Amino acid sequence: MAPGEKIKAKIKKNLPVRGPQAPTIKELMRWYCLNTNTHGCRRIVVSRGRLRRLLWILFTLTAVALIFWQCALLVASFYTVSVSIKVHFQKLDFPAVTICNINPYKYSVVRDLLADLEQETRVALKTLYGFPENTSRRRREAESWNSDGPKFLRLVPLMAFSQDETGEVRDFLTGRKRKFSGRIVHKASDAMHVHGSKEVVGFRLCSNDTSHCALYNFSSGINAIQEWYKLHYMNIMAQVPLEKKINMSYSAEELLVTCLFDGVSCDARNFTLFHHPMYGNCYTFNNRENETILSTSMGGSEYGLQVILNLNEEEYNPFLVSSSGAKVIVHRQDEYPFIEDVGTEIEPAMATSIGMHLTESFKLSEPYSQCTEDGSDVPISNIYNASYSLQICLHSCFQTKMVEKCGCAQYSQPLPPAANYCNYQQHPNWMYCYYELHQAFVREELGCQAVCREACSFKEWTLTTSLAQWPSVVSEKWLLPVLTWDQGQQIKKKLNKTDLAKLLIFYKDLNQRSIMESPANSIEMLLSNFGGQLGLWMSCSVVCVIEIIEVFFIDSFSIIARHQWQKAKEWWARRHAPPGPQGQDNPGLDIDDDLPTFTSALRLPPAPGTQVPGTPPPRYNTLRLERAFSDQLSDTQIPAES
């Protein structure tokens, strides 16, 4: 072998074992620390002194812990969004505008249907506030009327509840006291003192079998009577066909006196009928049923919608509504107008100007938020012929629960024709069921708030309302006669100032604001942040990470597997070794392929059936021979050269 090859072989033999060929995990870790680019691990091995080595161990472990902490924060904040707001100027589509009179039906038309209800209401008012009247005659009339009146009025009478006598209630109509053992639901915190006594006013509701009753009381007798009147009013109107109710409400020609949009005249033909059970006939301008959606190219009141409404205050129901005016709501063309929830009220004898700003929002769906694109992934059936919204989901959920638990649907909302609307003749239990269900809905026991989700994209019009007296004293003298002449064929009476209201709806400017969410992070940014953390705390790169995976997982596993394999082979060899004499293993026998020596021969077991002789006496002549032999060996040595 050449001298150079001998030197290389000697160096290779003296070098430490490398990589997965290391015999132990300790040797593998030592090799890794000496060869890695992460300086902390290297300093642990090469540093001299226990204190310095301990400090480098602490520094390295601290850096590793900080890396894991920072990377965990990066992963946890991965699904975050950044919000960008863009404002651009363009021609805007005009929204749909729904207008309703606060009074749903003409009082002169529905008075006959509500005669029994109004009679009991007036008697209760006289009893509550002590109007002078013959008490005995009032009771006789009430008792005789109760015997022939509607059944649902007799079962849901107005009551007075005394705080001192918790087990008794007093019927306003008859003056009799009754025992009451049901629940008491307080609709207000403060009690009202009626005639100096500690009494609160309310009404009792019971289930079909009268096994469960509840007394709903109010701090004010006015609130109790209005709520009680509204409850029975819904019962009565639920039995009237829809065509008849439309005829009992206001027509478009009666409600709309004048119309102007974008400087162009319009009339009742530009409005679409929308019947609301609590507000009667409502009319929507620029509805989706029109052929084209109107738009405006200028901002300001002169380029919006201007209408004059005839409220006809003489036809107002005195017990159903206590204010006069109209309600208006601005919404999308494909959106259901929840006029009772978000409507804006318009005052009579006033000009109401509503300036709009359009804001369009786009949110990211899962996993960034819980919003839904179209409501298809929400387990609530949309019972409205409109696009999905959070309000539609909540109302649909409540209506569905009404049908399931009460056997009917709440009358104040539309449902498919197959669903039954609530009235006492078809569903005697619905009033008690409705109030119990509504309390559960408010307490979020129905699960509607947890199931319903917000829409990912929606339009919202921010409204700014201002008022001005209209008509002015100067213009009133000529304006009212002209409007009366214009409406002469429909109303056939002279208009008063309190019958009219002016409405102006317009864009304040054409600056549309768009709020858009976008992912704040991406996979590329996440990997870049990981690399920054590794370089900051450990001065390593992706190659070092791969090296760590190789050494700590692949190589370490291979060493452990090799050791386990050797143990398994040894165990298998011992298990399948050839048996010793007489079929038994001889533990004293060491199997060796070399020839036996004197020492190994001494360890051999004695042959069976032989006796071991005793120790013979020493032979002194043998000692002399050994000495002569040693002397002979010394003579055979080669003399040293001189």
Side-chain angles (χ1 to χ4, degrees), residues 416-433:
N420 294 323
Y421 288 113
C422 296
N423 63 78
Y424 190 82
Q425 291 183 352
Q426 297 178 358
H427 307 282
N429 191 44
W430 90 265
M431 289 182 290
Y432 175 80
C433 182

Side-chain angles (χ1 to χ4, degrees), residues 427-446:
H427 307 282
N429 191 44
W430 90 265
M431 289 182 290
Y432 175 80
C433 182
Y434 166 73
Y435 272 86
E436 292 295 312
L437 201 64
H438 187 266
Q439 294 293 326
F441 179 79
V442 172
R443 294 191 300 265
E444 299 185 3
E445 296 177 359
L446 299 182

Side-chain angles (χ1 to χ4, degrees), residues 285-296:
F285 177 78
N286 196 25
N287 196 15
R288 60 179 175 177
E289 296 181 2
N290 298 332
E291 297 180 357
T292 58
I293 297 178
L294 301 176
S295 60
T296 180

Side-chain angles (χ1 to χ4, degrees), residues 121 124-125 128-129 156-160 172 187-188 192 200-203 216-232 319 435:
T121 304
L125 285 174
L128 178 62
Y129 290 102
V156 189
L158 280 170
M159 299 286 185
F172 273 134
K187 305 295 287 186
M192 176 187 176
V200 290
V201 185
F203 51 86
Y216 295 87
N217 56 70
F218 300 79
S219 61
S220 171
I222 299 299
N223 296 336
I225 289 177
Q226 285 184 335
E227 186 72 15
W228 174 82
Y229 184 93
K230 180 181 177 181
L231 184 65
H232 292 301
F319 301 109
Y435 272 86

